[in-house]
Amino acid sequence: MNDTPKHTLTVIERIEEPGNILRVKLAAADGAPLPPFTAGAHIDVRLQDGDLDLWRQYSLCSDPAQTDHYEIGVLRAPNSRGGSEALHRLAVVGARFTIDGPRNHFALTEDAAQTVLFGGGIGITPMLAMAQRLHRLGRDFVVHYCTRSDSATAFRDVIAVAPWADRVVFHHDDRDPAQRLDPARDLPPPSADTHLYVCGPAGFMEWVIGAATTAGHAPGNIHREYFSAEVDVSGDRFEVTARRSGVTVSVGPEDTIAKALARVGVSITVKCEEGVCGTCVTDILDGTPDHRDRFLTDEERAEGTMLCVCCSRARSKTLILDI
């Protein structure tokens, strides 16, 4: 569960990037240093506008060594549920946002002998922070940045002046096929000291992760972070008992555990509603989960001791949760 403190930050700069991406810099109103973060971390941003009240997660792309501001990149997604559209509209200079975090579920293995970063579109954001950290540490790394076209490639100006610019390989879908990402060519040989990081659209991620797995890279060395996911929350009816709260509810075919419990007064913090942020992870005392999330690792799923109540369901007739 999330126990990081919430704070209010002010937009100090708004930069329109190619590809319908907005770069936003946030700082404390009094200029005080912000809580430190590690490469791969994200912040939760509360978006409030009329009837809209959402929490959304955005990776930090600024240098982890800087404490005067946070920087995020936000894609205005055409299939957005309102979060990205709201942030693009509301994030004007001087606007204030409630922030939760930073938190890191995509941590960098800083002592790896070799690190390869794969960013698809907006998935480049955590890779920028990782590249800055790896460069500062003097580590061996390369960034593969994949976009639809050169004209839709955000952060190009940032990368161009970075001291690690020569570590970035650009791949564009509309150019010569020979320069497109080719896992057979661009994946390094498997090694215990080689770590891969993948972020971007789900299809891109599954492609790269599948190729890396087939090539023999250990699952523990393939790190991933999903920004969003298509989640099917439907299924057969089952019962959930909240042991500490002393209530039992029925979760219907189109319901979620979190919503069913909320109706009887058991509140669990839910933010992404897609099983990607981990905010709602809850311990299981008994029963078999039907995992629908993209947050838990394969090993954690196999253990069957926790689940994301925003989207996951039950294979057994009853789940008993430690809440």
Side-chain angles (χ1 to χ4, degrees):
M1 303 295 287
N2 183 12
D3 57 0
T4 53
K6 295 179 176 63
H7 40 284
T8 300
L9 298 183
T10 301
V11 176
I12 60 170
E13 190 172 1
R14 170 192 173 106
I15 303 166
E16 302 280 352
E17 289 279 352
N20 225 2
I21 290 173
L22 178 66
R23 187 149 53 100
V24 180
K25 293 185 180 181
L26 298 154
D30 61 359
L34 301 180
F37 71 95
T38 53
H42 70 271
I43 55 174
D44 299 340
V45 180
R46 190 174 188 181
L47 301 170
Q48 295 176 290
D49 185 31
D51 293 335
L52 184 75
D53 190 352
L54 302 171
W55 284 95
R56 289 296 178 261
Q57 296 72 42
Y58 300 105
S59 291
L60 291 165
C61 58
S62 44
D63 189 343
Q66 295 178 310
T67 60
D68 61 324
H69 74 278
Y70 293 149
E71 186 171 338
I72 59 175
V74 183
L75 169 68
R76 178 187 275 130
N79 58 348
S80 164
R81 290 175 296 144
S84 69
E85 289 285 352
L87 195 139
H88 273 247
R89 182 176 66 255
L90 299 173
V92 297
V93 173
R96 305 180 76 188
F97 291 93
T98 299
I99 305 297
D100 200 355
R103 295 186 291 155
N104 199 339
H105 302 305
F106 193 42
L108 184 64
T109 301
E110 295 188 342
D111 59 354
Q114 183 181 30
T115 302
V116 183
L117 311 174
F118 295 93
I122 192 62
I124 194 64
T125 49
M127 308 307 179
L128 297 175
M130 289 182 176
Q132 293 174 95
R133 177 61 176 166
L134 290 166
H135 173 76
R136 191 176 300 277
L137 293 172
R139 299 298 186 191
D140 180 16
F141 73 97
V142 63
V143 182
H144 290 280
Y145 184 10
C146 304
T147 65
R148 297 189 311 276
S149 67
D150 178 71
S151 61
T153 301
F155 301 99
R156 184 178 280 280
D157 292 345
V158 174
I159 293 170
V161 299
W164 39 268
D166 60 344
R167 303 292 188 100
V168 181
V169 182
F170 292 94
H171 306 278
H172 306 304
D173 291 345
D174 65 345
R175 295 292 180 89
D176 179 359
Q179 57 77 60
R180 296 176 188 168
L181 183 69
D182 179 1
R185 177 195 64 207
D186 298 321
L187 280 169
S191 165
D193 291 329
T194 295
H195 285 255
L196 313 177
Y197 295 80
V198 189
C199 188
F204 167 81
M205 292 182 63
E206 297 300 340
W207 174 53
V208 176
I209 292 167
T213 302
T214 300
H217 289 271
N221 286 26
I222 306 172
H223 311 273
R224 66 203 75 186
E225 182 169 67
Y226 289 89
F227 282 155
S228 64
E230 293 293 330
V231 181
D232 177 13
V233 300
S234 64
D236 295 336
R237 185 177 297 275
F238 61 96
E239 287 193 341
V240 169
T241 295
R243 171 74 55 85
R244 283 189 282 120
S245 301
V247 300
T248 297
V249 296
S250 178
V251 181
E254 300 294 332
D255 210 351
T256 69
I257 296 172
K259 290 178 180 178
L261 287 171
R263 286 196 295 269
V264 295
V266 181
S267 179
I268 300 173
T269 301
V270 172
K271 290 184 176 176
C272 73
E273 301 177 89
E274 296 179 333
V276 297
C277 77
T279 301
C280 68
V281 170
T282 304
D283 290 337
I284 300 170
L285 299 178
D286 192 37
T288 304
D290 179 4
H291 294 292
R292 308 287 181 91
D293 68 282
R294 297 283 190 143
F295 176 77
L296 298 177
T297 65
D298 291 340
E299 292 79 6
E300 288 170 333
R301 291 184 176 197
E303 289 173 359
T305 59
M306 63 184 81
L307 87 167
C308 293
V309 298
C310 71
C311 63
S312 294
R313 301 183 66 82
R315 296 188 184 278
S316 53
K317 292 184 179 298
T318 302
L319 279 180
I320 301 176
L321 304 180
D322 186 24
I323 48 177

